Amino acid sequence: KAGVTQTPRYLIKTRGQQVTLSCSPISGHRSVSWYQQTPGQGLQFLFEYFSETQRNKGNFPGRFSGRQFSNSRSEMNVSTLELGDSALYLCASSLVDREGNEQFFGPGTRLTVL
Amino acid sequence: ILNVEQSPQSLHVQEGDSTNFTCSFPSSNFYALHWYRWETAKSPEALFVMTLNGDEKKKGRISATLNTKEGYSYLYIKGSQPEDSATYLCAFTSSGGGADGLTFGKGTHLIIQP
């Protein structure tokens, strides 16, 4: 079974631009969660999508948004990029919900904002 | 905002020795406690998902215990091997879900010295 894939793996943007990251979950997984990791911080929860609906959202500004498609693939968008948005963005999929089920993580997208 | 603390932050252990580290989490509204192993240049990998007080889970040389009443979990590694070198993350889920639904600690960085 193929694992979680994320594209692109690396991205360099400048302040003020916007970016879209993509995540393809494991086949059959309906829940996709997004996380941000910055130096010195643990994984910070961004949001979770299940059956094309945002089910939970972390404490991030509205510049961070996402969506999920009918095939469970998910995209995350960050508008008006700031230097502090430079981070590793991970997505994770699970069968039903993230809380009680183990999550399978993708390799991440390393975003650098200049 | 929920607080998940892991200690120690980093740990150097001789190959062959056993070791353990701690995850502390809020004892109220407990739903699940996850452990992940994150090796450099790889994706976080799920080790355990624990939901019941007194739970004890084992995978090879790695085991974990859970005390939901006092809000802590221990991860044990028996007879450490170089391949155990990684960052070990715990993540707490409250029954309230929402923005605090899955909160990660900052991890324990384990280095096994040959």
Side-chain angles (χ1 to χ4, degrees):
Chain A
K1 208 180 221 185
V4 178
T5 58
Q6 290 187 245
T7 55
R9 294 291 311 277
Y10 302 91
L11 205 47
I12 299 175
K13 292 283 187 180
T14 55
R15 277 182 299 175
Q17 286 187 308
Q18 75 160 24
V19 67
T20 300
L21 313 181
S22 181
C23 172
S24 293
I26 290 172
S27 177
H29 284 193
R30 296 168 65 188
S31 168
V32 175
S33 298
W34 287 90
Y35 298 89
Q36 180 198 65
Q37 192 197 36
T38 50
Q41 296 295 319
L43 287 171
Q44 304 286 314
F45 170 67
L46 280 154
F47 27 65
E48 183 214 1
Y49 286 87
F50 181 82
S51 293
E52 302 177 65
T53 302
Q54 187 181 87
R55 193 156 65 170
N56 289 293
K57 190 177 192 310
N59 295 316
F60 277 82
R63 300 185 297 107
F64 291 81
S65 63
R67 59 178 174 166
Q68 187 179 34
F69 301 95
S70 58
N71 62 358
S72 293
R73 189 177 71 85
S74 177
E75 286 182 348
M76 187 193 108
N77 186 75
V78 188
S79 62
T80 319
L81 284 166
E82 300 177 359
L83 294 177
D85 297 333
S86 294
L88 178 67
Y89 291 88
L90 289 166
C91 85
S93 74
S94 61
L95 269 172
V96 177
D97 62 68
R98 59 191 166 86
E99 287 90 353
N101 289 271
E102 65 180 282
Q103 293 189 65
F104 295 81
F105 283 84
T109 294
R110 174 78 61 184
L111 171 65
T112 302
V113 182
L114 303 175
Chain B
I1 295 176
L2 299 172
N3 212 24
V4 177
E5 300 284 342
Q6 289 189 248
S7 62
Q9 209 169 28
S10 66
L11 195 51
H12 287 69
V13 173
Q14 282 298 124
E15 182 178 352
D17 287 352
S18 296
T19 187
N20 65 84
F21 27 92
T22 310
C23 172
S24 301
F25 52 86
S27 54
S28 58
N29 300 321
F30 176 86
Y31 186 83
L33 193 283
H34 300 229
W35 280 102
Y36 291 86
R37 174 170 59 201
W38 196 355
E39 295 178 68
T40 304
K42 293 187 177 179
S43 310
E45 173 200 353
L47 290 172
F48 308 112
V49 180
M50 308 171 80
T51 56
L52 298 174
N53 184 43
D55 242 357
E56 191 167 331
K57 296 213 170 180
K58 191 170 185 223
K59 187 185 277 191
R61 294 179 292 98
I62 304 177
S63 60
T65 60
L66 179 67
N67 183 323
T68 61
K69 295 191 187 310
E70 295 180 46
Y72 64 84
S73 174
Y74 293 134
L75 190 81
Y76 300 89
I77 301 178
K78 189 177 174 184
S80 303
Q81 299 297 308
E83 59 264 30
D84 296 328
S85 295
T87 297
Y88 290 82
L89 299 170
C90 70
F92 163 81
T93 305
S94 71
S95 52
D100 294 325
L102 191 62
T103 305
F104 279 84
K106 294 185 180 179
T108 291
H109 185 49
L110 177 65
I111 298 167
I112 307 301
Q113 295 167 324

